[in-house]
Amino acid sequence: MLSALFAGSQYPTYLVFVAVFVAGLLTAVLMPAFIRVMRKDGIGQQVRADGPQTHLVKQGTPTMGGVIMLVGLLLTTVLLARWTPDLILCVCATVGTGLLGLLDDVESVSHGRSLGLTPSQKMAGLIVISVAFCLLAVNWVGIAPTITFPGGFTVDLGVLATQIGPVSVPWLYVFFVFLMLAGLSNAVNLTDGLDGLAGGTVMVVMLAMAMVAFSYDEINLAVFAGAAAGACVGFLWHNCYPASIFMGDTGSLALGAAFAALAILTKTEVTSLVMGGLFICEALSVMMQVISFKSTGKRIFLMAPLHHHFEKKGWSETKVVIRFWIVSAMFAAVGFALYFQLR
């Protein structure tokens, strides 16, 4: 079977499709054993006390499924991709952020509460990862510290740079990369609140990013993005309602970082934010809710993040998830169209 799969490996498009299949199969097949181990050890999700009452039945559902998603993603990448500097950097950012998420999950489970690492601890980890990623991207991979907007307008963020030995530190771009990586990691993390929601929406976005990387002639990054989409597919087999396992911060933070890393390495930062528009909406809903409540004492949404608002309005969990998948696909389509306007 393996020889048949790799028979057409000289065709780049074929490799991307195989990556989706292999990562999906590996994740789906390995997950049941992981679920059994989690159940045997009593390692389960801690549900928010102030969340929807319908979610209380999810208390104790096995979590940290992101571990197997990363295994499926990495094994597929090892099998199908060439380890170029940009791919190595993308994988390191994904794994590093996944390990940060794993610490958060372990802290949450061990203390029996829905909160894990403190915000400052998590932010410190994201700062270290994003700064290291940015400096390596600029000085090792050769990524230009610029941002290109629709219409061809380019902003140079390398104007305030410091040379420290052989390393150039473009301070504005370092800050921008931090906003991208930390912002998208947390945005995907906030989206991970309903069965199948984060897995389905990330799958859609990663398929779009695979097409972007492929058209950018970054075949290895396209394989990586396809493998990430495939890992989401395999995970959804076990995470669809009612979920047998959750991805936890291990998965959501890692997938958000993978998305950000792909956007930066393919120089599609702006259009990628459009592709991930649903994640942005979820994050903005939380920010707007907090600002409104602290300044006026009133809430804009019935509950934040946004998906809980629609649950409170009476939508079933499945209806919210499927409609958010559709919205995510529409954002991805618009962002992909904008990408070709920038080429």
Side-chain angles (χ1 to χ4, degrees):
M1 180 179 178
L2 283 176
S3 60
L5 276 177
F6 295 117
S9 60
Q10 69 269 29
Y11 301 108
T13 50
Y14 178 84
L15 278 178
V16 176
F17 284 113
V18 170
V20 176
F21 173 76
V22 172
L25 183 64
L26 284 172
T27 305
V29 169
L30 293 174
M31 196 66 76
F34 186 76
I35 292 173
R36 288 194 294 271
V37 171
M38 293 293 103
R39 284 178 176 162
K40 181 179 178 181
D41 293 341
I43 300 174
Q45 179 70 31
Q46 304 301 313
V47 177
R48 286 174 55 180
D50 60 342
Q53 295 301 300
T54 54
H55 287 208
L56 294 179
V57 297
K58 301 182 182 186
Q59 179 76 20
T61 301
T63 187
M64 291 189 278
V67 171
I68 300 302
M69 295 178 75
L70 287 175
V71 169
L73 168 59
L74 293 175
L75 285 178
T76 303
T77 304
V78 168
L79 286 171
L80 297 175
R82 289 177 55 248
W83 287 88
T84 54
D86 52 357
L87 177 61
I88 293 172
L89 190 54
C90 191
V91 168
C92 287
T94 303
V95 172
T97 315
L99 289 174
L100 180 66
L102 181 61
L103 288 174
D104 192 45
D105 286 333
V106 170
E107 185 74 10
S108 175
V109 170
S110 63
H111 288 82
R113 56 196 180 103
S114 61
L115 300 175
L117 297 176
T118 64
S120 59
Q121 289 173 329
K122 190 181 294 185
M123 191 58 64
L126 289 172
I127 289 172
V128 171
I129 294 169
S130 62
V131 171
F133 175 84
C134 180
L135 295 181
L136 287 170
V138 171
N139 294 278
W140 183 39
V141 179
I143 297 298
T146 58
I147 309 172
T148 304
F149 291 86
F153 178 67
T154 301
V155 177
D156 185 3
L157 296 183
V159 291
L160 296 177
T162 303
Q163 195 70 28
I164 304 177
V167 179
S168 175
V169 184
W171 296 105
L172 292 177
Y173 194 63
V174 167
F175 181 66
F176 173 77
V177 168
F178 163 72
L179 291 179
M180 282 283 295
L181 198 144
L184 286 173
S185 293
N186 283 295
V188 174
N189 182 241
L190 290 171
T191 305
D192 184 30
L194 301 179
D195 296 352
L197 180 55
T201 52
V202 172
M203 174 194 67
V204 169
V205 170
M206 283 300 180
L207 286 174
M209 288 305 300
M211 290 188 289
V212 166
F214 182 82
S215 63
Y216 193 71
D217 204 26
E218 288 286 354
I219 305 305
N220 299 296
L221 292 181
V223 168
F224 176 83
C232 289
V233 172
F235 173 70
L236 282 171
W237 183 264
H238 304 282
N239 182 243
C240 60
Y241 183 85
S244 300
I245 190 168
F246 302 132
M247 70 170 66
D249 285 8
T250 308
S252 59
L253 289 180
L255 290 172
F259 179 33
L262 286 166
I264 292 162
L265 292 170
T266 57
K267 297 307 297 175
T268 55
E269 297 96 336
V270 176
T271 52
S272 294
L273 290 178
V274 177
M275 291 182 192
L278 179 70
F279 308 135
I280 306 302
C281 290
E282 291 271 37
L284 286 176
S285 70
V286 174
M287 295 170 63
M288 291 166 64
Q289 187 88 320
V290 171
I291 292 171
S292 176
F293 187 74
K294 287 189 174 181
S295 59
T296 67
K298 297 180 180 180
R299 292 180 171 86
I300 299 174
F301 304 100
L302 296 177
M303 186 176 179
L306 192 58
H307 53 263
H308 288 321
H309 170 78
F310 290 104
E311 273 195 296
K312 290 284 189 178
K313 286 179 69 69
W315 292 16
S316 69
E317 182 168 350
T318 304
K319 178 178 284 189
V320 175
V321 169
I322 293 176
R323 286 183 171 175
F324 273 43
W325 284 1
I326 294 170
V327 172
S328 182
M330 293 174 67
F331 273 122
V334 172
F336 192 65
L338 283 174
Y339 162 71
F340 278 97
Q341 293 297 317
L342 289 172
R343 294 192 71 188

